[in-house]
Amino acid sequence: MESAIYEGRQVALATKHGKERVLTRPMKAALGLEVVVPAKIETDAFGTFTGEIERPGSPLRVLLYKARLGLKQTGLKLGLANEGSFYPHPAMPFVTVDDELMVFIDEEIGLNIVERLVAAKTNYTRIKVQSMEELKDFLRRVCFPSHAVIVRPNDRLTPDFIFKGLNDFEAVKRAVEICLKASNDRTAHIETDMRAHLNPTRMRVIRQLAFKLARRLKCLCPICSAPGFGLIKTESGLPCRSCQTPTELLNFEIHGCQKCSYEMKKMNTDLKADRAYCSNCNP
Ligand SMILES: [Zn+2]
Ligand SMILES: [Zn+2]
């Protein structure tokens, strides 16, 4: 089932980093929604990637705050927001992941549909340098200058002494020189600027997630027709091939509706777990 309930309506996108560039098309094409960006939105009030302003709570909380701020500023009933975090892959510590969340809020129906995309493709990294030679090598690795960087003195992290959004070599060089002198340990800290408009790799991940969210919103609940019907959790218990004992492997996808709480179990009907995963056959 598909939804036309959002056709011709407006949705507020709380961003000051140009995310409308990648959200407008998916929302329009899939749902007929027009993306509106509030004129004055201070999303840095919710903290920054660099850490000089601390983030209050989990990424999910920040995400919901941002979306509600967009609603408040525009007076609209539909809102969108995105929030990313970057950390080492739990199973592969040398790989950094870009973990993006996106929410769609419908205040009239009382929905907030959250979609997530974890991408292993990101240039997120940081380094401490004491010379220009180290700097050049770092800049090559992080796809500079199409991707911007941030420079600060190594011994301090304050909002008034930080050079952000640098995508010109001379500007980086100047900032590094200043920070080398200013830092007590004669070291400059450089990191990738992860704000979407300065990081095309991240912007592409956000675009993919926007399409994923739009597809989700098109799915209607088979019982109450609310939009956003889809995967809400997974359950383990895939039976062993030889003895049928439930294993730790995934067996069910639970698809659900936020409005009426209807849930549907989707079972892996043909798959069976290898004996290697079975606590009975392979204790
Ligand atoms: Zn429902
Ligand atoms: Zn078994």
Side-chain angles (χ1 to χ4, degrees):
M1 272 204 292
E2 288 202 353
S3 164
I5 66 166
Y6 295 125
E7 189 67 48
R9 293 183 62 190
Q10 292 188 321
V11 59
L13 169 63
T15 181
K16 55 169 202 150
H17 299 150
K19 290 175 186 171
E20 66 275 17
R21 283 197 341 241
V22 291
L23 273 124
T24 299
R25 243 180 41 139
M27 291 301 143
K28 181 78 189 168
L31 304 152
L33 268 169
E34 185 198 338
V35 171
V36 175
V37 178
K40 274 194 292 176
I41 201 129
E42 195 42 71
T43 52
D44 279 358
F46 303 120
T48 57
F49 290 117
T50 27
E52 80 278 18
I53 305 169
E54 204 182 321
R55 307 211 137 186
S58 68
L60 184 61
R61 265 187 67 193
V62 176
L63 178 77
L64 296 172
Y65 274 147
K66 273 191 196 172
R68 287 195 197 105
L69 190 73
L71 293 182
K72 213 170 114 190
Q73 294 221 350
T74 54
L76 294 172
K77 297 286 179 207
L78 306 175
L80 271 173
N82 156 251
E83 176 74 8
S85 27
F86 306 87
Y87 52 82
H89 190 289
M92 295 174 276
F94 295 109
V95 177
T96 303
V97 296
D98 172 4
D99 186 346
E100 298 285 344
L101 292 173
M102 196 175 283
V103 67
F104 176 86
I105 292 189
D106 181 332
E107 272 203 326
E108 275 164 8
I109 312 183
L111 292 178
N112 50 59
I113 304 293
V114 177
E115 274 290 346
R116 182 178 182 190
L117 187 64
V118 182
K121 198 163 167 48
T122 173
N123 71 335
Y124 178 79
T125 188
R126 52 195 57 209
I127 193 178
K128 299 175 197 313
V129 301
Q130 289 182 315
S131 75
M132 289 298 161
E133 280 318 301
E134 296 169 274
L135 174 70
K136 279 183 188 159
D137 183 52
F138 176 81
L139 292 179
R140 254 193 309 274
R141 275 196 290 131
V142 300
C143 308
F144 179 87
S146 67
H147 293 61
V149 295
I150 293 171
V151 179
R152 64 169 167 87
N154 185 47
D155 65 352
R156 88 198 70 157
L157 180 53
T158 51
D160 57 335
F161 203 148
I162 189 161
F163 300 88
K164 292 185 166 193
L166 306 176
N167 50 17
D168 166 85
F169 182 69
E170 285 308 312
V172 176
K173 218 176 109 184
R174 262 198 311 279
V176 169
E177 278 162 359
I178 293 169
C179 293
L180 285 176
K181 281 202 193 96
S183 187
N184 283 321
D185 57 1
R186 295 285 176 264
T187 306
H189 173 107
I190 307 177
E191 64 185 78
T192 46
D193 196 327
M194 301 314 291
R195 288 174 293 168
H197 61 309
L198 297 166
N199 196 303
T201 302
R202 177 165 182 233
M203 196 63 113
R204 276 194 290 274
V205 177
I206 297 172
R207 179 173 176 272
Q208 267 187 341
L209 179 54
F211 277 106
K212 191 177 174 192
L213 178 64
R215 277 196 302 274
R216 168 80 175 254
L217 289 169
K218 277 174 78 170
C219 292
L220 303 187
C221 170
I223 304 300
C224 76
S225 300
F229 189 80
L231 183 67
I232 48 172
K233 58 186 175 223
T234 51
E235 271 177 23
S236 59
L238 192 68
C240 166
R241 190 186 310 280
S242 20
C243 74
Q244 309 303 318
T245 302
T247 66
E248 288 297 305
L249 299 186
L250 291 186
N251 194 27
F252 300 110
E253 280 191 350
I254 316 278
H255 290 232
C257 168
Q258 244 182 35
K259 181 85 170 66
C260 74
S261 312
Y262 170 70
E263 285 186 1
M264 196 168 75
K265 259 191 184 183
K266 284 198 169 178
M267 208 168 137
N268 261 322
T269 40
D270 332 313
L271 269 181
K272 290 278 188 282
D274 191 274
R275 296 173 48 136
Y277 297 97
C278 176
S279 59
N280 186 33
C281 303
N282 187 18

